[in-house]
Amino acid sequence: MRFGILGPLDIRTDDGTPVDPGGPRPRALLTLLLLGAGRAVSAQRLAEGLYGAEPPAGAANALQSQVSRLRRRLAPHAGIEATATGYRIAVAPDTVDVYQFETRSAAGRAALAAGDHRNAATRLREALALWRGPALPDLPDAHAEAARLDELRLAAVQDRIEADLALGEGSGLVAEVRTLLAAHPLSERLYGQLMRALHASGRPAEALTVFEEARRTLADQLGADPSPELSALHLELLRGTEPERPGLPGQLTRFVGREPELARIAELLAGSRLVTLTGPGGAGKTRLAVEAATRIEAARTGRAARAGDGVCFVELAPLGDGSQIPYAVLTGLGVREGLRSPAADTTDRLLAALEERELLLVLDNCEHLVEAAARIAALLLASCPGVRILATSRESLNITGEVLVPVPPLPPEPAERLFLDRARAVRPGFDGHARVPHICAALDGLPLAIELAAARLRTLTPDELADRLDDRFRLLSRGDRSKAPRHRTLRAVVEWSWDLLDEEERELASRLTVFSGGATLAAVEAVCGLPYPEDLLASLVEKSFLEVSEGRYRMLETIRAFAAEDLPDPGGLRDAHAGYFLRLAEEAEPKLRGGGQLPWLERLSAEHGNLDAALRHLVRHGPEDALRLMAVLSCFWRLRGLHGEQVTSARELLAAVGDAPPPGLTEEYVLCAINVLLGDGDHAAGGGAGGDEELVARVDALLAAHDGPLRLPYILMLWSLAVGPRPASNEQALALAGDDPWARALLDVGLGFQEYYTGRPRKAEECFTQALAGFRATGDRWGMANCLDPLGMFAHARGDSRRALELLDEGLAYMRDLAAPEETSDLLRSRGTVLLHQGDAQGAEAHFERALTLARSAGLPDKVAGARRQIGDAARLSGDTARARVHYENALQECAANWFSVGETVRIFIGLGRTAAAEGCAEEARDWFRQATELAVEGPGAFKLAETADALASVADTAERAAVLLGAATALRGARAEADPDVIRTDNDVRAKLSPDAYDQAFERGRRLGSAAVSER
């Protein structure tokens, strides 16, 4: 059906048959619905439109009745749908004359701005022909909307007159413009058009008289003078000069960022004659070209130049035919139609106009006419040696001599500056928000999207804006009304590019949306089901729909969201996607435990988004395959510090599978449970508060019943991390490890920590040394680094700090290769400890700060707590107890609810106690040390008790009591603390107060007590 409301309501079927909607109320109701065609109109708006601002009682029921009657009248040609808030008429907006008028008049206005006057005049006449009388006569109270439409109609008439004037038809316009001025006597634009029409008609004196008439009218009614533009026209007519060619478009807002691109453009144009800016829609190519040209023009100012030289800007987007390009360039140059014989070829005229000029020609938006634009550009460059061209296009012109400047999305910092700049225009005083970086990243750093989003802060909060970005095309649908429709909204910009693709390109682009974070050529071939897609991929890259880097094809998230709307068979594609990445992960898993682990780690890291997407799909649609995928990725997640991200998926998967593993998937089930237990403080294990004891017991039982060695031996490591040291027999551990060298080395690591916890450092060092040899044999950098860390600290404890630093530096080198944040953080903290004990507090603190940054980025609260506590240690040992106390208290807040945070909490309590003691508060120090001791008694092993005994010795009531505590600490630790400055200071103080014999006797008594405590534990 076709609907007309620009005049009396007119409804016709496609064959022209009129449809009667009924009396005044149905006609008013239908008009209101048509004004909102394509979207819902609220019941309140409809009731107010029908019954006024204060609808009578029962208006809601009356509205329902009116809607029902109108439905029957329109059936079967159109329907009216009820929505949550009102009603929506189920017709396409382009069937309503208002929509057609706005679209065609906007297209005419854009063509006019581009200098395509014939096209502009045609479009504007088509738009104005839709009017059949006053707007909205069936809505007599809709004054605001009718006034808006009347203003648009007047603007379209004026634009059409502008186009006609440019086409030399001024003589036929005088009467029309005088009639319009009688109705709108304050319109300076109409005065200007009348002056130009009279001048073109050979009546210059009358034109000057019109200016005087305008001056008097404006002064009498507004108390104002004519605008600078009207005054300039008056002066031009007085002098009889020709108008200058249009200059560069003015920048209405501050230009932000793009300094590297601007520098490259300037450098290239100094030596190349054709530079093309390429990039996706909304990347800001036009703004960048205008800014670059403006700077070039500014640099030229003041130098001697011939008339006609400089910069010329030509907008090609409004053109529908490549043959119009020469005429558009001539118009941009200010060359009038009548300067040469009408029979002369337009291209010849263009070449003649440019053959002697030194000119930078900016050709904007070439993509839809790329072949014609390339031909014209090649011809101009070959025939006009003084011409250089700066083009913008979503694909290259692909001609000899062309140099490309890709215009990528904005990096984070300038993207955020752009957002803040535009946000302050609608919300003065806006100082930013924590979610601004997320908003800019979610919008791919596309300037257009960022500007549209910032404008939304007029009515939304930053949180509301960020939460609604999943529906970005609806959200970012209110753009600059002065822009052409294709550049006004985010959807329109992407749709403009989409329509330029052929059917095969659109199909592949839609299929590529199944990937998250990009894809390799092999993945595209396997998942998309299209043989030999190289040419199509290259075409999509050339048209700025894809980016390619190091063999990976990536789609901007905004383009991906649009292309996904046409995704064929999404279920089948996601199955194929998940299957491909499951196979990839299974291939990678054994190779992560040896010398070849680095390239496989990089490969899995590159596919992190795809692996996550595959896991989410399988959790819902293939739980057994999801168990397999989660299992083979668990080691990778640990190495890359990503395990915390998987807790939600692990819980969902465990719930889907149930309380027992599927046949043949016991190890996979165990690893799923471990990923649940390795969660954050809200869902952590380890026998303490918050742990899932039933799940821990279930996994213990499954491992105890396991027959033979593990296929996935890193279960041993992850299980100990999840629940802490377990009272399991060495025989069971050996059976689970089997003969696999990597698993045996890992078992030795576990045994080393077990010996360490129980106060046998020499035996622990032997285990770690043996594990290091095993990992060296396999080439596993992760394993070697995890042995070198404790071995370095054993060397330091013996007083060999030089050897300690050598071992720790070797471990850090391996971790730099692996980019494993958790282990790198641990090694940095160990190295910092050595430096601190050597007296280098500044160097130590720098290590602790780096460790803190890594731990925070990886989401490891216990490691964050440890690094903060060690910064506190460095401050305290430097004498800054106030700063130390702040760091200790912050560390205490970071401690997570897991077993290894118990030991960290003990050390924080000790740090607070030593701080109190340094400030002369001995009783407060004793209280902190008592709390540390009570907590250490609950934890695994005896080594934390040794630290509390050392601390209590520092505030003991008598020197003899202090010596007993030092002896107990040595027994609990299994060795003296040769390097700890706090312990050394206490020991020296005690020895100064006791005779050697008295010290030795008290120390030995304490050592026997400590040994007994170790035996009991």
Side-chain angles (χ1 to χ4, degrees):
M1 298 187 76
R2 299 290 169 183
F3 300 89
I5 55 178
L6 296 177
L9 181 65
D10 183 63
I11 313 167
R12 295 183 183 272
T13 62
D14 290 340
D15 62 5
T17 304
V19 176
D20 181 11
R25 285 273 165 77
R27 298 174 75 85
L29 173 60
L30 181 54
T31 302
L32 289 165
L33 291 170
L34 291 172
L35 281 171
R39 62 183 188 274
V41 182
S42 71
Q44 180 181 355
R45 172 73 185 95
L46 294 173
E48 289 175 355
L50 292 177
Y51 304 107
E54 296 182 3
N61 291 332
L63 175 61
Q64 290 179 351
S65 299
Q66 293 287 355
V67 169
S68 297
R69 284 195 289 272
L70 185 58
R71 275 199 190 104
R72 290 194 294 272
R73 290 271 187 171
L74 297 179
H77 306 290
I80 301 176
E81 302 168 352
T83 70
T85 58
Y87 297 90
R88 184 177 75 88
I89 187 164
V91 298
D94 61 1
T95 63
V96 184
D97 60 3
V98 165
Y99 180 89
Q100 295 176 30
F101 167 73
E102 291 187 356
T103 302
R104 292 178 186 179
S105 59
R109 185 165 58 252
L112 184 64
D116 187 1
H117 302 121
R118 282 198 175 89
N119 186 33
T122 300
R123 296 294 182 90
L124 290 163
R125 282 192 172 88
E126 291 173 351
L128 292 166
L130 295 166
W131 285 75
R132 297 169 290 102
L136 313 179
D138 294 285
L139 275 181
D141 294 330
H143 304 295
E145 185 63 19
R148 184 185 75 85
L149 291 172
D150 287 337
E151 288 176 6
L152 291 176
R153 183 183 189 180
L154 176 61
V157 171
Q158 291 174 313
D159 288 340
R160 193 264 303 155
I161 291 171
E162 195 73 34
D164 286 342
L165 283 168
L167 293 170
E169 298 176 5
S171 58
L173 296 172
V174 173
E176 180 185 5
V177 180
R178 284 197 185 279
T179 301
L180 288 169
L181 257 177
H184 305 281
L186 298 180
S187 172
E188 288 193 73
R189 187 180 185 191
L190 286 172
Y191 281 116
Q193 289 178 332
L194 180 56
M195 292 165 65
R196 290 162 60 199
L198 287 165
H199 184 79
S201 302
R203 300 149 67 181
E206 290 183 53
L208 298 176
T209 301
V210 169
F211 178 77
E212 295 304 323
E213 177 185 342
R215 187 203 301 273
R216 286 194 305 272
T217 303
L218 294 171
D220 292 343
Q221 298 197 32
L222 299 179
D225 293 326
S227 67
E229 291 79 10
L230 192 62
S231 298
L233 175 61
H234 177 239
L235 183 61
E236 180 182 308
L237 295 180
L238 277 173
R239 293 174 175 172
T241 58
E242 291 288 339
E244 297 183 1
R245 71 164 183 264
L248 287 165
Q251 304 279 42
L252 300 181
T253 52
R254 188 166 64 94
F255 189 82
V256 177
R258 298 296 192 197
E259 291 304 325
E261 288 86 356
L262 286 167
R264 178 163 169 75
I265 293 168
E267 178 186 358
L268 290 174
L269 283 173
S272 302
R273 296 183 57 213
L274 173 59
V275 175
T276 303
L277 311 185
T278 61
K285 299 183 293 297
T286 298
R287 286 292 305 267
L288 177 59
V290 171
E291 182 69 16
T294 300
R295 296 188 182 191
I296 291 170
E297 179 76 351
R300 172 180 170 274
T301 301
R303 298 201 303 263
R306 294 168 300 177
D309 291 350
V311 177
C312 175
F313 181 89
V314 181
E315 167 65 81
L316 302 186
L319 307 186
D321 185 342
S323 64
Q324 297 174 315
I325 295 177
Y327 179 81
V329 178
L330 281 171
T331 303
L333 291 168
V335 178
R336 295 199 173 197
E337 182 88 13
L339 287 179
R340 292 177 181 266
S341 168
D345 179 78
T346 305
T347 302
D348 291 340
R349 291 170 50 220
L350 176 59
L351 294 176
L354 290 176
E355 60 186 356
E356 299 296 332
R357 295 194 188 186
E358 297 286 337
L359 184 81
L360 173 62
L361 178 60
V362 182
L363 296 178
D364 189 42
N365 286 314
C366 300
E367 55 271 353
H368 64 305
L369 303 173
V370 66
E371 292 188 5
R375 286 194 299 270
I376 292 296
L379 182 61
L380 291 177
L381 293 172
S383 305
C384 308
V387 171
R388 293 172 296 160
I389 296 176
L390 176 61
T392 75
S393 179
R394 297 180 198 183
E395 61 178 302
S396 69
L397 302 187
N398 198 24
I399 60 178
T400 301
E402 180 181 31
V403 181
L404 300 182
V405 177
V407 182
L410 286 171
E413 191 274 334
E416 291 162 28
R417 278 196 287 123
L418 177 64
F419 184 92
L420 293 175
D421 185 80
R422 303 304 190 256
R424 287 169 184 146
V426 297
R427 184 179 284 193
F430 181 71
D431 290 329
H433 189 273
R435 299 190 73 178
V436 168
H438 163 76
I439 292 169
C440 294
L443 295 174
D444 301 303
L446 287 174
L448 173 65
I450 291 170
E451 291 181 336
L452 291 171
R456 276 294 192 173
L457 290 187
R458 183 184 291 111
T459 55
L460 297 177
T461 68
D463 284 324
E464 289 170 337
L465 176 62
D467 290 341
R468 286 164 170 75
L469 287 180
D470 287 343
D471 193 7
R472 66 188 66 200
F473 294 116
R474 182 197 62 78
L475 182 71
L476 307 182
S477 60
R478 298 172 66 87
D480 185 341
R481 292 189 181 97
S482 68
K483 293 185 180 295
R486 59 183 164 274
H487 292 149
R488 193 176 298 172
T489 69
L490 187 61
R491 174 177 287 281
V493 167
V494 181
E495 196 166 41
W496 166 254
S497 298
W498 182 258
D499 290 342
L500 297 178
L501 302 180
D502 62 32
E503 185 176 348
E504 284 186 316
E505 290 168 339
R506 283 195 288 266
E507 181 179 1
L508 178 57
S510 294
R511 289 175 180 270
L512 290 173
T513 62
V514 76
F515 294 100
S516 179
T520 62
L521 175 60
V524 173
E525 288 178 310
V527 174
C528 294
L530 297 175
Y532 311 113
E534 296 95 325
D535 288 344
L536 283 176
L537 288 169
S539 181
L540 289 172
V541 170
E542 290 167 1
K543 295 181 179 180
S544 301
F545 254 81
L546 290 178
E547 299 172 344
V548 61
S549 176
E550 299 180 354
R552 289 188 67 79
Y553 297 90
R554 179 180 175 272
M555 188 177 280
L556 293 181
E557 193 58 35
T558 296
I559 295 176
R560 182 169 176 252
F562 182 90
E565 295 175 354
D566 288 342
L567 182 62
D569 186 23
L573 274 173
R574 292 191 180 103
D575 287 342
H577 174 272
Y580 175 83
F581 286 101
L582 172 58
R583 293 190 296 274
L584 175 67
E586 288 176 332
E587 181 183 1
E589 182 273 323
K591 296 170 183 173
L592 296 180
R593 305 195 302 272
Q597 64 193 168
L598 291 182
W600 281 97
L601 275 172
E602 290 304 317
R603 188 168 178 184
L604 292 183
S605 294
E607 302 294 1
H608 177 45
N610 283 312
L611 292 165
D612 280 359
L615 180 61
R616 288 192 298 270
H617 177 71
L618 291 174
V619 167
R620 293 167 176 77
H621 303 286
E624 292 192 6
D625 281 340
L627 282 175
R628 294 185 178 93
L629 182 56
M630 179 170 286
V632 294
L633 289 177
S634 292
C635 187
F636 162 69
W637 291 334
R638 189 71 199 179
L639 288 172
R640 281 291 192 251
L642 302 171
H643 49 279
E645 300 176 6
Q646 310 305 325
V647 177
T648 300
S649 291
R651 291 175 184 166
E652 187 178 346
L653 180 55
L654 201 64
V657 174
D659 294 340
L665 296 177
T666 298
E667 294 182 37
E668 288 80 359
Y669 183 89
V670 165
L671 281 163
C672 180
I674 290 173
N675 279 293
V676 170
L677 296 169
L678 279 171
D680 55 24
D682 295 332
H683 199 285
D692 189 336
E693 296 300 333
E694 188 278 329
L695 184 56
V696 170
R698 194 189 316 164
V699 174
D700 267 337
L702 289 171
L703 290 176
H706 193 280
D707 185 17
L710 296 167
R711 289 178 289 107
L712 305 170
Y714 45 85
I715 287 175
L716 296 170
M717 168 191 66
L718 296 177
W719 186 230
S720 66
L721 287 171
V723 298
R726 310 294 291 166
S729 68
N730 287 345
E731 290 78 9
Q732 181 192 358
L734 287 167
L736 292 173
D739 297 328
D740 181 84
W742 188 90
R744 286 285 183 154
L746 183 63
L747 178 59
D748 285 330
V749 171
L751 294 173
F753 280 116
Q754 192 174 66
E755 298 293 346
Y756 177 58
Y757 290 143
T758 52
R760 293 190 288 271
R762 291 180 183 174
K763 183 62 177 173
E765 189 170 8
E766 291 175 7
C767 291
F768 285 117
T769 301
Q770 185 170 319
L772 178 61
F775 285 127
R776 286 196 193 281
T778 66
D780 184 348
R781 294 167 177 79
W782 176 87
M784 287 187 280
N786 274 279
C787 295
L788 290 163
D789 189 353
L791 287 172
M793 298 314 291
F794 285 135
H796 175 58
R798 291 194 300 272
D800 191 351
S801 297
R802 182 190 61 79
R803 177 59 177 161
L805 292 175
E806 289 176 356
L807 294 170
L808 294 171
D809 286 343
E810 183 184 353
L812 281 167
Y814 293 138
M815 282 303 151
R816 276 193 292 271
D817 291 339
L818 292 172
E822 183 168 357
E823 289 78 6
T824 303
S825 177
D826 288 342
L827 281 158
L828 286 170
R829 290 170 55 206
S830 295
R831 197 178 194 281
T833 298
V834 175
L835 294 178
L836 183 61
H837 290 176
Q838 288 181 322
D840 182 5
Q842 185 175 358
E845 188 163 342
H847 279 61
F848 300 149
E849 289 284 3
R850 287 169 58 197
L852 175 63
T853 300
L854 277 172
R856 186 184 288 119
S857 67
L860 302 167
D862 56 293
K863 306 295 183 181
V864 171
R868 284 196 178 280
R869 186 260 306 165
Q870 288 177 295
I871 295 171
D873 289 344
R876 176 177 56 80
L877 290 171
S878 299
D880 191 346
T881 56
R883 191 163 69 94
R885 187 181 293 277
V886 170
H887 281 292
Y888 288 140
E889 290 172 351
N890 288 339
L892 202 57
Q893 293 176 357
E894 295 280 359
C895 282
N898 53 44
W899 69 269
F900 31 85
S901 276
V902 172
E904 194 54 61
T905 304
V906 169
R907 285 180 166 166
I908 295 168
F909 285 169
I910 291 172
L912 285 165
R914 290 194 184 280
T915 300
E919 293 172 343
C921 303
E923 193 52 46
E924 181 189 346
R926 291 188 184 94
D927 183 59
W928 282 117
F929 295 154
R930 280 194 293 269
Q931 290 184 61
T933 304
E934 291 169 1
L935 192 58
V937 169
E938 300 174 5
F943 68 106
K944 295 301 178 194
L945 277 173
E947 295 184 36
T948 63
D950 283 328
L952 286 166
S954 68
V955 291
D957 294 333
T958 65
E960 181 181 1
R961 172 65 175 161
V964 169
L965 288 166
L966 289 171
T970 299
L972 291 166
R973 187 183 292 109
R976 284 182 176 271
E978 301 286 353
D980 189 329
D982 288 313
V983 178
I984 292 171
R985 185 183 305 110
T986 302
D987 188 69
N988 289 339
D989 290 345
V990 173
R991 288 179 183 273
K993 296 174 182 176
L994 295 175
S995 67
D997 286 344
Y999 175 88
D1000 290 342
Q1001 289 174 11
F1003 186 90
E1004 180 59 25
R1005 188 160 67 253
R1007 193 190 62 76
R1008 288 194 299 270
L1009 290 171
S1011 297
V1014 169
S1015 300
E1016 290 177 6
R1017 292 175 72 87

